[in-house]
Amino acid sequence: MLTPAPADSTPAGERPVMIRMAGVEKYYGTYHALKAVNLDVHQGERIVICGPSGSGKSTLIRCINALEHHQGGEIVVDGTQVGKSSRGLDKVRAEVGMVFQSFNLFPHLTVLQNCTLAPRKVRGLAPKEAEAIAMKYLERVRIPEQANKYPGQLSGGQQQRVAIARALCMAPKVMLFDEPTSALDPEMVKEVLDTMISLAHDGMTMICVTHEMGFARQVADRVIFMDKGEIVEEGPPATFFANPKSERTRTFLGQILHH
Amino acid sequence: MIRQFTSAEFFFLVSAVRWTLLLSAIAFVGGATLGLVVALARTSPWQWLRATAGAYILVFQGTPLLMQLFLVFFGATMVGASVDPLAAAAIGLTLNAAAFLGEIWRGCIQAIPKGQWEASTALGLHYVTRMREIILPQAAKIAVAPTVGFLVLLVKSTSLASIIGFVELTRAGQIVNNATFRPFLVFGIVAAIYFALCWPLSLYARHLEKRFGTVSR
Ligand SMILES: Nc1ncnc2c1ncn2[C@@H]1O[C@H](COP(=O)(O)OP(=O)(O)OP(=O)(O)O)[C@@H](O)[C@H]1O
Ligand SMILES: [Mg+2]
């Protein structure tokens, strides 16, 4: 259904690089939001990013699809440089799906229309084709029966699943998640996480900003800890949680794991 | 020689209403078209375009409509083009309405949450599609009530066209008054006719505000 799962025998680190961030610098005015960020994400790899509020997690993933423009270093997505040409930008945005904390569904369009708009306008699919694909992904996130409702008629968890389906309809090579469960009532967190877990199992390349450490343990290949615009520490979840190297990481994990 | 105010005078006034309505309609359609351009320019990603539209709004909101009508009317005469008063009034009112509608609609466009822009951008939609499919349909809902409200103002503004000699309702009132010398009666009737035109519009605007006042999210 999705991008075919990479052979599980190949370790993530040996698969081709899907996203390369090298020495990325980002300023908001004079505020230095990303400081020399280096990050390679391989095909099929699942990355979880955590860190205190204001540490630059959103900024980092928003630079990947150029919702924010970086000023230094380079970002390459599937061979295309971000920020060099507007053609390149279109290509990157069409291949990178994004899910937001606040869902950002289009309130004046039905669930189905939310899902078919970009495939029709960007990929040039015929309405029937786009609808077939949309229904496939709505089934995938287990809400095909809501297709003709408006977003305002759905629960938060349902809306976020629609947002995931909407992004998947573009058949992206990478999915970015920016705290997808933070705006949800506790009883709806699980349905969204389950959707993300099943996506991970299908081999989707994913970068998730989240504080759901259970999710990180279960699916992440690597957990990245950011603070003050820098990547402070990274590692596979087992070592990351058991033996955090830096004091800042320990303090942060202490705060979020014991409350 | 002073005439009586008879039903003939009354119907003369009433029949001038069509010119008021025609002028309002032209100015509204023209102003809406140009106003959309102004609103899009004001919210565009290009600084120079925003600044240009901003200057336009500043000039037309910052000077009296009457002066704008004079400038169009006498300006055209000066360069040798003879404009008839209807054309001059229509052009002046259109330019003026565009500034006000542009500013109203800019606000409506900017009232759409940033997340809507971001989500549509992240999906790879281009500016035109983003505007047409996502932003403008939502902005339009917020815009209807203030737009109809502005239309009320516009209908009343057309009375200024009387000064450059266009015979709409107000000018018709002046003509009748000059002949009958019954200012209170004549202008009372003129005012009542304006009221009859504008009141339903005001009511409609209020109704729309109740209906669309809160954007459904
Ligand atoms: N558009 C902006 N203009 C100016 N400063 C910004 C802007 N966006 C973010 N910042 C600043 O950049 C820093 C990093 O912000 P960012 O949103 O990336 O943090 P975050 O790690 O995602 O935090 P949170 O957990 O609260 O979402 C913050 O200090 C924030 O105030
Ligand atoms: Mg954030």
Side-chain angles (χ1 to χ4, degrees), chain A residues 62 65 67 90 93-94 96 98 100 103-109 114 117-118 121-122 152 166-167 170, chain B residues 114-126 129-130 132-135 137-138 141 215-217:
Chain A
R62 290 158 62 89
N65 63 354
L67 281 187
D90 291 346
R93 284 180 178 152
V96 176
M98 188 171 222
F100 301 84
F103 327 139
N104 296 344
L105 293 176
F106 307 131
H108 62 301
L109 300 179
N114 263 275
L117 184 66
K121 302 290 176 183
V122 180
R166 177 175 71 176
M170 288 292 286
Chain B
K114 222 168 121 240
Q116 295 288 307
W117 291 90
E118 292 178 349
S120 39
T121 307
L123 281 168
L125 297 176
H126 274 177
T129 317
R130 206 154 64 205
R132 197 180 48 211
E133 307 284 339
I134 306 299
I135 307 298
Q138 295 182 63
K141 268 193 191 172
V215 194
S216 60
R217 290 255 143 75

Side-chain angles (χ1 to χ4, degrees), chain A residues 29-213:
Chain A
T30 56
Y31 181 77
H32 203 169
L34 291 181
K35 298 168 188 163
V37 166
N38 295 306
L39 176 64
D40 280 359
V41 181
H42 298 260
Q43 197 186 323
E45 205 177 2
R46 280 92 39 147
I47 307 275
V48 162
I49 303 181
C50 61
S53 181
S55 56
K57 308 179 295 294
S58 299
T59 305
L60 187 151
I61 63 168
R62 290 158 62 89
C63 281
I64 294 172
N65 63 354
L67 281 187
E68 303 288 354
H69 299 278
H70 62 286
Q71 280 93 31
E74 65 169 13
I75 302 177
V76 183
V77 178
D78 198 26
T80 310
Q81 284 246 358
V82 178
K84 277 282 177 284
S85 69
S86 66
R87 285 267 295 294
L89 205 60
D90 291 346
K91 185 154 173 283
V92 166
R93 284 180 178 152
E95 284 176 2
V96 176
M98 188 171 222
V99 175
F100 301 84
Q101 180 175 348
S102 50
F103 327 139
N104 296 344
L105 293 176
F106 307 131
H108 62 301
L109 300 179
T110 64
V111 164
L112 191 62
Q113 290 166 337
N114 263 275
C115 292
T116 55
L117 184 66
R120 279 172 43 227
K121 302 290 176 183
V122 180
R123 297 261 189 249
L125 297 189
K128 281 275 169 292
E129 268 178 293
E131 275 168 29
I133 291 173
M135 286 315 296
K136 185 175 89 180
Y137 286 112
L138 287 173
E139 263 153 43
R140 175 96 216 271
V141 301
R142 301 192 320 279
I143 34 176
E145 70 283 359
Q146 313 286 359
N148 293 312
K149 288 197 182 162
Y150 285 89
Q153 298 169 292
L154 306 186
S155 74
Q158 291 174 323
Q159 290 193 46
Q160 194 60 299
R161 284 186 284 149
V162 171
I164 293 172
R166 177 175 71 176
L168 292 176
C169 285
M170 288 292 286
K173 293 185 172 158
V174 181
M175 285 285 283
L176 308 174
F177 293 84
D178 194 353
E179 306 206 31
T181 57
S182 300
L184 295 175
D185 293 335
E187 70 270 22
M188 294 171 188
V189 169
K190 188 174 178 298
E191 64 189 60
V192 171
L193 287 180
D194 285 347
T195 309
M196 292 169 63
I197 290 167
S198 96
L199 206 54
H201 286 156
D202 282 356
M204 175 62 79
T205 311
M206 297 164 69
I207 304 183
C208 313
V209 175
T210 180
H211 291 158
E212 295 290 340
M213 291 303 138

Side-chain angles (χ1 to χ4, degrees), chain A residues 217-229:
Chain A
R217 280 208 171 88
Q218 197 178 339
V219 307
D221 295 302
R222 256 191 299 162
V223 182
I224 288 176
F225 172 70
M226 287 187 75
D227 192 18
K228 304 198 172 83

Side-chain angles (χ1 to χ4, degrees), chain B residues 52-64:
Chain B
T52 310
Y56 177 85
I57 291 170
L58 200 65
V59 167
F60 280 90
Q61 287 196 340
T63 56

